[in-house]
Amino acid sequence: MLFTSCLRDEMNSLIDDAISTNEEIKEITATINDFGTTRSELYRDDNDINFKWSAGDTLGVFPDTGDQVCFTIDGSQAGSATAKFDGGGWALKSTHTYRVYFPYIRDIDLKKDAIPLDYFGPLDWSGQIQIGNNNYDHLGKYDYLASDAISPSDGKLNIIMNHVGAIMILRLKIPEPGIFTYLTIYDLDHEKMFPIQATLDLSGEKSVLKDVKYWITTSMWLYKIETKEENEEIVVSMMIPPIDFTGKQIKVELNRSDNMVASGIISNPKNLEAGKAYEMTATLSDLEEGHGYPSSPIDAKVRNAVNESYTTLKRVFPWDCLTLSEAAGSVQLYPTRRGGDWWDSGVYMQMFMHTFKADNGILSRAWNAATESIDFCNSNISMIEESGVYYRKNCEAEIRGIRAYWYYYLVDKWGNVPLVLDNNKDNSPSNSSREKVYNWLVSEINEIIPDLPEAEGNYGKFTQASAHALLAKLYLNSEAWGFGNKYAQAAEEAQKVITDSGLELLSNWKDNFSCNNSGNKESILCAQYSSSDSSSNYSNNLHFLTLDFIENQAIGAKFGGWNGFCAQPDYVKLFMHGTDDERDQMARNPEYTYYDDPENDPRIVSFRLGQQYNQATGEILMTSHSMPMNHYAEVFPIHGTEYEGTLWRAVQQHDGGRAGKWEYAAYLASAMNNDFAIFRLADFYLVRAEALLRSGGSVAEATSLVNTVRQRAWGDASHNYSIVTLDDIQLERRLEMAWEGVSREDDIRFGCYDKDMWSMFRADTSSAFDEAGFLRNQWGIPTSISPNAYPWNRPSDKYLELFPIPATALEANPKLKQNPGY
C-alpha cells in the first residue's frame, strides 16, 4: 500500500498589489548549516518560493485511535514535493482517519491535540537568523507542516501538507551604509500581538494553533548583511505565525554593528495568513544611537569559543608546564621520597640533573599542552572568522594572543617548533627555525594590539597590556636566544605595561596569591581557576603536588596531599639573613622559626617551612615514618639509597620547604580557587630595570624600579638599594617571582643555568642507622655531613638550553627533526 504526501500549491503569495505575479511554495527539503539543524531549505526561483523534501525528513502520523507512527523519506524520495512510502505491515483502514505533521517528534506520550513543533519546547518562531542579504535558507527550520484529517481511498493515503506559518518579506531601504546585525518589529501601540509560542492541535477535522502566547515584539538576527552605499536596499525574510497587521502602525528597527539604529514604519501592512508569502516595504530614517541588544546563538557560540580558548591557560600551572620552567631552573625540586615515591623512572631527576631524554613523560605532556592549545585556538579562530559577527576581529585578536603565548612557551623550551596557523588537523608540519617563530611572534603580537581590549575592566583577558608584556619578554630574551641585543625594545615595552592605567601594584604583596585573588589589578594575564574545577589538566591542584599526605590537618581542610615537590634548598636560603654558613645552620635546624626572624625577607612565606601542627588539636603532625612533619629548608640525601647507579638518592618524606606562596583555604578539597598570574606587574618593573642596565639606560630609574618592588615587600624603605647591579636584579627577581615560571628563562639569561641550588646533593651523609634503617635523629637529620663528597655539576653544554622534542611527537609526525645534541 502506498502512502503519498504532497504539498498544497495554495502557498500562493499575496505580494504587494502592484506586483501581478504570485509566489507559490512548491517543494521542501532539509539541510544542516553551521549553526544548528535546519529541517528544510527554502529558495526563491523567479517568482516562486520553493520547498523540497529531503532524505531523513520524518513525518509523524496519528491514526484516530492508537499511538503515532512515523515515515522517513529516503534518498530516492528526496528532491521532490511528493514523497511515496510503502505502508508495509501497517494496515491502513479506509474507515479510519489520519492526521500528519512535520517534523516528527519522538515521544510516546505525545498527544495529537498538543504537539510542540520546536526542538526546544512549544512552537517558537523566535531566534531566527538570516545569513546574507535576500537569503531564505533560515526559513526552513520554522516551516511547520500539518494535514487536516484524511482517510485512505483505493488503498492509498494522499496527505496534503499545509504550512502552519506565513512568510514575511521586508524590503528595507537603508539611509547609511554599514553591517547590520539585528531586526526588531513591533506595534507603535505596544500591543502584544506577535505569537511567540503555541501548540498544534490535530484532534479535529482541521489543524489549528492553540494556547498561543503573544509578545509586543518579534526579532531576528542578521549576519553578513552589509550595504556599501546610501539608500541601498536589504531584503529580510521571516517565517511568522499568522498575524493581521492591517490598520496597525508596525515599526521596524534595524541595528548596525556600531549599535546605531535605523527605523521606519511599514508602508503596506497586511493580514498574514498561513501558507502564504507577503512582501512589505519600509524606508528607514537616519541612524540614531541604540540601546544594545541580547546575545544571539551565534554570539553565544563565538563568546564560548573565546572563553574556551582562555581555558587552555589553565594548563600552564602547576603541572608539567611549570616543571620545565622551575625544576630545570633553580627553584623546584621533585626529590624521590623515602620509600620510592616520585622516582617515576627518573623523569624528575632528569629535570634537576639536566640529563633530558626524549622519552621523558614530563616533556611530552608539556609539549602536548602547548600544541593542543594552539590547535584549539586555530579551530576557534577559524570558526569565528566564518561566523561573520561584526566584532570578530576583536575576538580573534584575543585568541591569537593566547596562541602567541603558547608559541612563546614552545619557542622558549624547544626553539625549533612547527608553526601552524590554520585549522588543518591532517597536516604534519615540519620544524620552523627558532628565529622564524620568534620573528612571527613579534609581528603577530604587534598586529593584534589595536584590536585587543584595554586592561581596565578586563581581568584575566589577553589585553593590550598582555601583548606589550609578551613583547617585553621576547625582546628581553632575544640575545640569550641568539637574535641580538633588543634590551632597549624590552625596556620600552615594559614601560607600556607599567604605565597602563588599568594595572597597579597591590599594596599588600600577599593579596596576589590569596584564595580569592580573582580581579586583582596587578595581574596582567592569568589562568583563572575555580574550586569547582574537576579536570586535573585544567585545575589548580598545587596542594596535591607539594603538601604531605596528612598536611591538610595543618590547614583544617579535607584532602590528602601527594607529598611531591619542594624548593631547592639554596634557593630558600636566599631569603634568609646571615653568611652562607649561618644560613646553612638555620636551614638544618628543625627548631628554627623562619617567619619569626625579622631579618629574613618577608617573602620567605613563598615557602611552607617549619613544624606542622594539627590545627584542631595543636598536636605535632607525624609522618608515616613516625617523624615530626618538620619542613626545614635543607634536603638531605640518604646514604646508600642511590638509584640506577646515579648520584640521585632518596630523601625523608618531610624534607624541604613546600610551595606556600598561594593561600591554602580551609575549605580546600579537590581544587584550589586561586588564580595564577602568567604575567604580573611586579615582574615588569624588574624586566624594565634589567633591560635598562643591559642597554646602558638610566641606572637611577632601574634602582627606583627595583626599590618600588622591594619596598612593597618590606613595608618601608629600610632595605632599599642605593644603586642596583644586574646581580641585585637577579636576586630581586628570585625573591619576588619564586614558583611563577620564570626561573629557567632567567637562569639562562643570567648565565647560571648550569648552577643548581642544592649543594647538599653533592654531600655524603652519616650512615648511623637505627633499627628503622634510616633514622639519624628524631627529625631524620644526619649526624654528620661530608660536603662536596661527590664532585658533580650540571653539564654546561649549550644545546641543553633547549629540551629534546618528545619522542611521542617525533613518532606521530615523521617530518619533525630532533633538536641538536639529542
Side-chain angles (χ1 to χ4, degrees):
M1 191 175 290
L2 291 176
F3 173 94
T4 304
S5 171
C6 60
L7 298 174
R8 174 174 289 181
D9 355 339
E10 73 176 26
M11 185 73 163
N12 301 317
S13 65
L14 294 179
I15 298 184
D16 190 51
D17 296 337
I19 301 177
S20 59
T21 58
N22 289 332
E23 295 197 44
E24 182 179 358
I25 298 179
K26 298 177 179 179
E27 300 178 334
I28 291 180
T29 187
T31 60
I32 296 176
N33 64 22
D34 291 340
F35 305 108
T37 302
T38 299
R39 295 195 294 266
S40 56
E41 178 180 352
L42 179 150
Y43 65 94
R44 192 168 185 171
D45 180 16
D46 296 330
N47 295 312
D48 293 334
I49 298 176
N50 302 301
F51 295 83
K52 296 178 183 178
W53 290 117
S54 180
D57 282 349
T58 302
L59 293 84
V61 181
F62 276 102
D64 49 11
T65 60
D67 297 328
Q68 69 165 334
V69 295
C70 66
F71 288 89
T72 300
I73 297 170
D74 61 25
S76 64
Q77 303 290 315
S80 171
T82 300
K84 297 181 180 181
F85 304 87
D86 183 352
W90 184 49
L92 300 180
K93 299 179 180 179
S94 59
T95 57
H96 286 207
T97 57
Y98 300 91
R99 297 159 179 85
V100 184
Y101 71 97
F102 172 83
Y104 167 70
I105 298 175
R106 185 171 183 170
D107 182 353
I108 60 173
D109 296 321
L110 186 68
K111 305 300 181 185
K112 62 167 125 345
D113 63 348
I115 299 175
L117 294 183
D118 187 85
Y119 294 125
F120 307 105
L123 183 62
D124 184 354
W125 275 278
S126 64
Q128 296 184 45
I129 303 170
Q130 178 173 320
I131 303 176
N133 192 11
N134 202 13
N135 184 281
Y136 297 87
D137 293 344
H138 59 290
L139 298 180
K141 180 178 179 180
Y142 302 91
D143 181 36
Y144 305 107
L145 307 174
S147 76
D148 296 333
I150 190 167
S151 300
S153 175
D154 298 328
K156 296 180 180 180
L157 187 66
N158 296 312
I159 303 294
I160 305 300
M161 302 298 293
N162 303 311
H163 298 271
V164 175
I167 295 176
M168 177 176 64
I169 303 169
L170 295 177
R171 292 189 173 275
L172 307 175
K173 186 174 288 186
I174 315 299
E176 299 177 28
I179 299 173
F180 295 90
T181 59
Y182 193 65
L183 175 75
T184 306
I185 306 171
Y186 60 93
D187 173 32
L188 280 183
D189 294 331
H190 298 290
E191 177 185 346
K192 288 184 178 181
M193 62 180 301
F194 292 92
I196 58 169
Q197 288 185 341
T199 55
L200 185 63
D201 185 353
L202 298 181
S203 61
E205 291 298 313
K206 299 285 184 179
S207 61
V208 295
L209 291 177
K210 69 176 186 179
D211 301 326
V212 181
K213 296 180 181 179
Y214 297 90
W215 190 239
I216 58 176
T217 65
T218 190
S219 58
M220 68 181 299
W221 290 94
L222 311 174
Y223 286 92
K224 298 183 179 179
I225 296 182
E226 181 177 8
T227 59
K228 302 289 187 179
E229 300 176 357
E230 293 181 358
N231 296 316
E232 192 172 337
E233 183 179 78
I234 68 171
V235 180
V236 179
S237 300
M238 179 183 291
M239 187 72 77
I240 194 167
I243 186 171
D244 189 357
F245 286 149
T246 57
K248 304 289 185 182
Q249 291 193 78
I250 306 300
K251 187 170 185 178
V252 177
E253 290 186 352
L254 192 64
N255 285 70
R256 198 167 64 180
S257 60
D258 57 1
N259 199 34
M260 299 296 288
V261 176
S263 61
I265 303 297
I266 292 177
S267 61
N268 53 339
K270 298 178 179 180
N271 179 18
L272 278 58
E273 298 180 2
K276 299 178 181 180
Y278 300 83
E279 193 168 273
M280 297 182 286
T281 61
T283 298
L284 305 189
S285 65
D286 292 338
L287 281 79
E288 300 176 348
E289 186 172 354
H291 302 289
Y293 41 86
S295 295
S296 74
I298 294 179
D299 286 297
K301 187 171 184 178
V302 168
R303 296 299 184 190
N304 189 53
V306 176
N307 292 335
E308 287 181 345
S309 299
Y310 279 109
T311 300
T312 68
L313 298 178
K314 290 185 173 185
R315 303 183 76 171
V316 174
F317 180 88
W319 270 96
D320 303 292
C321 289
L322 184 74
T323 300
L324 296 194
S325 297
E326 301 295 76
S330 51
V331 179
Q332 189 183 55
L333 176 65
Y334 271 98
T336 301
R337 300 290 175 180
R338 175 184 165 190
D341 289 343
W342 297 96
W343 164 241
D344 293 6
S345 301
V347 294
Y348 297 103
M349 175 189 72
Q350 291 178 30
M351 289 295 111
F352 174 77
M353 298 183 73
H354 288 191
T355 54
F356 315 121
K357 295 181 180 179
D359 62 355
N360 189 306
I362 302 169
L363 292 173
S364 62
R365 290 190 297 270
W367 172 279
N368 291 342
T371 56
E372 289 168 6
S373 296
I374 289 168
D375 286 344
F376 191 66
C377 288
N378 284 338
S379 176
N380 285 335
I381 291 169
S382 177
M383 185 279 291
I384 292 173
E385 178 62 32
E386 293 173 0
S387 75
V389 295
Y390 70 90
Y391 51 85
R392 60 186 178 273
K393 285 187 67 177
N394 305 94
C395 295
E396 289 171 15
E398 290 184 58
I399 301 177
R400 287 167 69 183
I402 298 166
R403 181 179 65 180
Y405 168 78
W406 281 113
Y407 265 116
Y408 158 68
Y409 184 89
L410 282 177
V411 82
D412 173 38
K413 306 302 188 293
W414 285 278
N416 309 298
V417 298
L419 185 59
V420 181
L421 305 177
D422 56 35
N423 194 30
N424 185 358
K425 297 186 183 301
D426 296 327
N427 189 25
S428 296
S430 57
N431 309 65
S432 293
S433 70
R434 193 182 204 185
E435 184 172 13
K436 179 179 179 180
V437 181
Y438 177 92
N439 289 335
W440 170 81
L441 272 169
V442 171
S443 174
E444 173 79 351
I445 298 164
N446 276 303
E447 183 176 310
I448 65 176
I449 287 174
D451 297 315
L452 290 170
E454 297 179 349
E456 182 67 45
N458 286 295
Y459 171 80
K461 302 301 184 183
F462 199 97
T463 61
Q464 293 180 11
S466 305
H468 292 303
L470 185 48
L471 284 171
K473 290 282 188 176
L474 289 168
Y475 291 138
L476 187 69
N477 291 289
S478 173
E479 186 173 50
W481 293 354
F483 309 136
N485 180 329
K486 294 184 174 65
Y487 296 116
Q489 293 97 313
E492 180 181 353
E493 294 298 331
Q495 180 68 2
K496 294 174 184 176
V497 176
I498 293 167
T499 57
D500 192 301
S501 61
L503 303 171
E504 63 183 38
L505 289 180
L506 301 185
S507 58
N508 185 342
W509 178 81
K510 291 182 180 180
D511 287 347
N512 282 292
F513 315 105
S514 73
C515 55
N516 296 305
N517 62 347
S518 178
N520 84 76
K521 298 187 74 171
E522 188 166 335
S523 178
I524 303 168
L525 174 67
C526 71
Q528 298 186 66
Y529 295 102
S530 168
S531 56
S532 62
D533 291 336
S534 56
S535 171
S536 60
N537 286 335
Y538 297 90
S539 61
N540 184 348
N541 45 28
L542 175 70
H543 56 309
F544 288 133
L545 292 171
T546 190
L547 299 184
D548 197 276
F549 304 120
I550 62 169
E551 198 162 349
N552 60 293
Q553 296 178 27
I555 300 166
K558 297 179 180 180
F559 66 88
W562 302 336
N563 200 31
F565 70 78
C566 62
Q568 295 185 36
D570 298 349
Y571 194 97
V572 180
K573 295 171 190 176
L574 296 175
F575 294 72
M576 299 161 61
H577 68 88
T579 65
D580 289 345
D581 287 342
E582 289 171 336
R583 292 176 177 181
D584 287 344
Q585 292 305 311
M586 289 185 286
R588 300 169 192 175
N589 179 2
E591 298 179 309
Y592 177 63
T593 52
Y594 298 83
Y595 310 138
D596 295 335
D597 192 329
E599 295 186 64
N600 287 343
D601 191 292
R603 291 166 290 188
I604 198 170
V605 294
S606 297
F607 310 97
R608 193 172 176 86
L609 297 160
Q611 180 62 57
Q612 304 301 305
Y613 298 89
N614 186 308
Q615 188 183 82
T617 66
E619 296 176 348
I620 290 176
L621 289 177
M622 304 294 288
T623 71
S624 57
H625 291 164
S626 300
M627 296 182 185
M629 190 184 295
N630 191 317
H631 299 317
Y632 38 74
E634 194 58 86
V635 179
F636 298 102
I638 300 174
H639 180 83
T641 60
E642 291 81 0
Y643 278 83
E644 297 186 358
T646 70
L647 192 56
W648 192 258
R649 290 154 287 169
V651 307
Q652 297 291 352
Q653 286 187 348
H654 55 280
D655 278 13
R658 309 306 166 94
K661 196 168 195 174
W662 290 269
E663 178 186 7
Y664 297 111
Y667 59 76
L668 184 55
S670 61
M672 294 176 64
N673 198 62
N674 319 55
D675 292 346
F676 173 74
I678 295 170
F679 293 145
R680 186 162 63 86
L681 184 57
D683 184 6
F684 292 89
Y685 276 71
L686 302 177
V687 166
R688 178 164 171 81
E690 179 184 342
L692 286 172
L693 291 193
R694 292 187 185 274
S695 63
S698 170
V699 177
E701 184 186 351
T703 302
S704 175
L705 289 165
V706 174
N707 283 339
T708 298
V709 174
R710 190 168 178 80
Q711 185 169 327
R712 192 260 302 261
W714 283 92
D716 56 42
S718 60
H719 291 77
N720 283 9
Y721 292 104
S722 57
I723 186 170
V724 294
T725 65
L726 282 175
D727 287 343
D728 297 327
I729 292 174
Q730 182 188 20
L731 174 61
E732 194 61 29
R733 289 191 61 77
R734 286 174 160 173
L735 297 171
E736 179 69 23
M737 301 300 297
W739 306 117
E740 295 189 53
V742 301
S743 175
R744 172 188 162 277
E745 189 179 275
D746 284 3
D747 288 351
I748 291 172
R749 198 171 61 254
F750 282 97
C752 59
Y753 184 51
D754 59 345
K755 306 295 190 297
D756 66 278
M757 303 201 77
W758 187 17
S759 56
M760 186 62 69
F761 182 67
R762 298 158 182 79
D764 193 15
T765 58
S766 65
S767 57
F769 301 156
D770 68 359
E771 66 276 6
F774 293 100
L775 184 61
R776 271 65 63 82
N777 61 26
Q778 62 175 317
W779 294 287
I781 296 175
T783 55
S784 65
I785 299 170
S786 300
N788 299 312
Y790 303 100
W792 174 88
N793 287 298
R794 281 178 170 175
S796 57
D797 304 80
K798 183 71 174 175
Y799 77 89
L800 292 170
E801 292 181 3
L802 293 177
F803 292 112
I805 292 176
T808 52
L810 296 172
E811 292 167 4
N813 181 4
K815 292 182 181 179
L816 288 179
K817 294 182 179 179
Q818 184 57 274
N819 279 331
Y822 296 102

